[in-house]
Amino acid sequence: MKPAIDCRRTGRLNINLNERVNQMSGFKKKYFIPGEKIERLIESNEGCIATDRITVDGCKVGFMYREEPYQNGNPDSGWRFMAGDESDEYMDNPEYHAVYQLNTICNFDREIIPLLKSATGTAYIRDENGKLALDDEWEGIEE
């Protein structure tokens, strides 16, 4: 498997479902890790949201936070994953992020696995040493 790109230095509800949605919309994403290469790393079928900087470009998770899980009765873990270099314009475009199984995103960056049991409202950011660290300054998402 190709190593994830550290994007700070370089400037199945899983990928298969997303590939079908993209095909129906005429938009075809080429994922950094193809769907057939996704391994079962955790025992969860919960969903999460991740940006294309991770799933398409192969960046490591640079910022992650947890919202209230299971909103509106959906099997949502509450986790949101970004490379950390996404602009507001990028984040405002729904074509650049999608819903995935939590296990799928673990395949893109296994360093997140020990953090997944963290409480709602928790955020982590990749520090200057390249490690995910608790983000004490994060104040949550504005409603």
Side-chain angles (χ1 to χ4, degrees), residues 4-140:
I5 299 167
D6 184 345
C7 294
R8 293 175 305 130
R9 292 194 180 106
T10 64
R12 272 183 187 242
L13 172 92
N14 62 16
I15 288 181
N16 291 332
L17 174 59
N18 290 304
E19 287 173 352
R20 280 182 273 161
V21 170
N22 291 332
Q23 287 169 351
M24 291 183 336
S25 68
F27 182 71
K28 179 71 172 140
K29 291 183 183 183
K30 184 172 178 8
Y31 293 100
F32 190 76
I33 301 174
E36 67 272 6
K37 301 283 186 181
I38 298 296
E39 301 173 34
R40 174 59 67 185
L41 300 176
I42 62 170
E43 293 301 319
S44 173
N45 291 320
E46 294 175 317
C48 64
I49 297 173
T51 68
D52 286 357
R53 294 288 292 136
I54 296 166
T55 60
V56 175
D57 298 336
C59 298
K60 288 185 151 206
V61 171
F63 180 69
M64 59 190 272
Y65 67 91
R66 191 170 197 193
E67 294 183 323
E68 188 67 39
Y70 287 88
Q71 295 181 38
N72 303 316
N74 294 316
D76 178 6
S77 68
W79 282 109
R80 311 298 179 244
F81 301 99
M82 288 138 277
D85 61 356
E86 296 90 341
S87 66
D88 288 341
E89 181 181 29
Y90 184 96
M91 292 302 294
D92 288 342
N93 188 335
E95 290 183 10
Y96 295 137
H97 38 87
V99 175
Y100 300 91
Q101 270 191 351
L102 193 54
N103 180 73
T104 298
I105 304 308
C106 290
N107 277 260
F108 287 90
D109 190 346
R110 294 174 187 219
E111 293 175 48
I112 68 172
I113 295 172
L115 309 174
L116 296 177
K117 299 287 185 197
S118 298
T120 300
T122 303
Y124 294 92
I125 191 165
R126 201 164 289 278
D127 66 17
E128 61 278 351
N129 298 316
K131 301 291 183 196
L132 286 167
L134 189 62
D135 186 351
D136 293 326
E137 297 177 17
W138 190 69
E139 297 180 5

